[in-house]
Amino acid sequence: MTDGKITTAKLGHDGPEVGVQGLGCMGMSFGYGPADADASRATLERALELGVTLYDTADAYGAGENERFLSPFFKAHRDEVVIATKFSLSIPPDDPTRRVIRNDPPYIRQAVEASLKRLDVDVIDLYYMHRRDVNVPIEETVGTMADLVREGKVKHLGLSEVTADELRAAHAVHPIAAVQSEWSLFSRDIEPKVVPAVRDLGAALVAYSPLGRGFLTGSFTDAAQDLTSGDFRRQQPRFTGDNAMANATLLELIRSVADAHDASLGQIALAWAHQQASVHDLSVIPIPGTRKPTRVEENTAATRIVLTDEQLDLLDGIAAQVAGTRYPDMTFTSAGRE
């Protein structure tokens, strides 16, 4: 395995150059069971050595704990990294287990100040609306986000899980540098409408969960049986019971391609995600999450795997066969509102 750095891609017309693969940092503090803090810190450092410069977090990951955890790393490498964080999932004081979607201007201002403080930075490089509150006009939400740019608190704007129409309406208010949506061999619902809109507007598509939250690596088969009680994948329909059993059989197609490249399942899933840039003619930056330096090495090496047209065709039909939805409630996704 080579230590060569990955190539770069641009976040939108006027956005920064970033490594063509980013790092999802959520699991270092939240969502995927216990994490080893030292290993996570080593992962951050190794990723930077390999050319990973886009680091993705959110205020909702561990109720701000993920932002606080990342802060020392960002401070040590401020001129080398692009910090992406998000707002909109508010935690009610009377029930810390709940998340309420808020896009209203007063909340956005409260959220950005809290993130700046936790991150201990003067400006956030890429600030996302994490989820869409349909009760607030998106023009109002993005208008407030644009004010943050003018005030020097945020450099670039992003949206997560928006429909094509929502993206176009937002972009009319202020340029959108990046749209973050789930995109993988198992999740392709953004391709008919969202992807063309992202391309037309010159934004980048930041693909979260390109490894199907680990399922595409073969690291677990049934979340209810294989993962710890605090792992939120146990609540995702496609990863438990009969759905998980059916979906596990789909990995055999990926394995056949992996064997041809002497690669892992995860590397083929990532190579597929990277090649969507040329398939759809837009900038694509997958952000696989990991907490191990060796996994970062494996993931970034996938940027150098080129799948043949025949292999792409073979993998093309997998998503249509996946059993179960991405989330129990899909109304919070772009697919649930298209």
Side-chain angles (χ1 to χ4, degrees):
M1 184 173 292
T2 178
D3 283 344
K5 286 192 173 184
I6 60 176
T7 59
T8 61
K10 200 169 179 63
L11 283 176
H13 285 309
D14 301 316
E17 287 280 337
V18 297
V20 74
Q21 188 176 113
L23 182 64
C25 300
M26 180 183 79
M28 295 178 180
S29 308
F30 170 77
Y32 294 157
D36 182 317
D38 289 339
S40 292
R41 294 186 189 99
T43 300
L44 294 168
E45 297 287 350
R46 185 62 178 134
L48 188 59
E49 290 172 354
L50 292 168
V52 175
T53 55
L54 178 63
Y55 293 81
D56 185 86
T57 183
D59 59 3
Y61 299 161
E65 184 55 36
N66 197 235
E67 290 178 325
R68 282 187 286 267
F69 174 78
L70 295 168
S71 176
F73 170 75
F74 290 155
K75 192 168 187 178
H77 301 286
R78 188 64 189 97
D79 294 336
E80 303 169 81
V81 301
V82 173
I83 301 171
T85 193
K86 315 177 194 73
F87 73 88
S88 81
L89 298 180
S90 172
I91 303 173
D94 59 339
D95 187 355
T97 65
R98 288 181 61 222
R99 298 290 185 273
V100 176
I101 299 176
R102 290 187 61 181
N103 292 173
D104 56 285
Y107 179 75
I108 296 170
R109 290 196 165 276
Q110 172 190 329
V112 74
E113 295 297 341
S115 284
L116 286 166
K117 183 176 181 180
R118 285 189 293 265
L119 292 165
D120 193 21
V121 296
D122 296 326
V123 60
I124 294 166
D125 299 312
L126 177 60
Y127 199 42
Y128 286 103
M129 180 189 77
H130 201 165
R131 291 292 185 270
R132 170 90 167 96
D133 179 357
V134 296
N135 297 309
V136 179
I138 198 162
E139 295 86 353
E140 184 176 341
T141 297
V142 177
T144 301
M145 296 170 70
D147 288 341
L148 301 180
V149 176
R150 286 187 281 271
E151 293 164 15
K153 295 176 181 179
V154 171
K155 290 184 180 179
H156 305 283
L157 303 186
L159 304 172
S160 180
E161 288 286 1
V162 290
T163 68
D165 287 345
E166 290 165 349
L167 171 58
R168 293 182 190 281
H171 195 83
V173 176
H174 188 279
I176 301 301
V179 173
Q180 185 172 139
S181 291
E182 185 168 355
W183 200 11
S184 73
L185 283 168
F186 266 27
S187 301
R188 300 179 60 181
D189 49 59
I190 64 170
E191 290 179 23
K193 295 183 179 180
V194 176
V195 169
V198 173
R199 180 187 61 237
D200 292 348
L201 296 174
L205 198 297
V206 177
Y208 78 83
S209 297
L211 295 173
R213 302 193 183 279
F215 193 88
L216 288 168
T217 70
S219 61
F220 71 96
T221 300
D222 188 321
Q225 298 180 21
D226 302 339
L227 303 178
T228 61
S229 59
D231 195 307
F232 90 109
R233 289 172 289 186
R234 291 163 63 100
Q235 280 79 55
Q236 293 186 292
R238 61 178 47 168
F239 299 142
T240 58
D242 291 342
N243 286 345
M245 290 180 62
N247 293 335
T249 66
L250 300 176
L251 300 184
E252 291 308 310
L253 280 174
I254 306 172
R255 185 169 285 109
S256 68
V257 178
D259 290 344
H261 287 272
D262 193 22
S264 68
L265 293 174
Q267 286 179 317
I268 297 305
L270 286 173
W272 178 89
H274 282 289
Q275 271 181 253
Q276 298 315 296
S278 58
V279 171
H280 294 278
D281 190 27
L282 78 165
S283 179
V284 178
I285 298 99
I287 51 169
T290 187
R291 303 177 287 193
K292 297 178 180 179
T294 54
R295 290 297 187 198
V296 166
E297 293 168 358
E298 178 182 328
N299 291 346
T300 53
T303 65
R304 296 183 284 276
I305 296 174
V306 178
L307 304 177
T308 67
D309 289 343
E310 291 77 15
Q311 289 167 343
L312 289 171
D313 288 343
L314 182 66
L315 298 170
D316 192 56
I318 290 177
Q321 301 177 62
V322 173
T325 54
R326 296 198 272 130
Y327 295 98
D329 183 355
M330 288 290 287
T331 61
F332 302 117
T333 70
S334 60
R337 297 192 306 279
E338 285 284 11

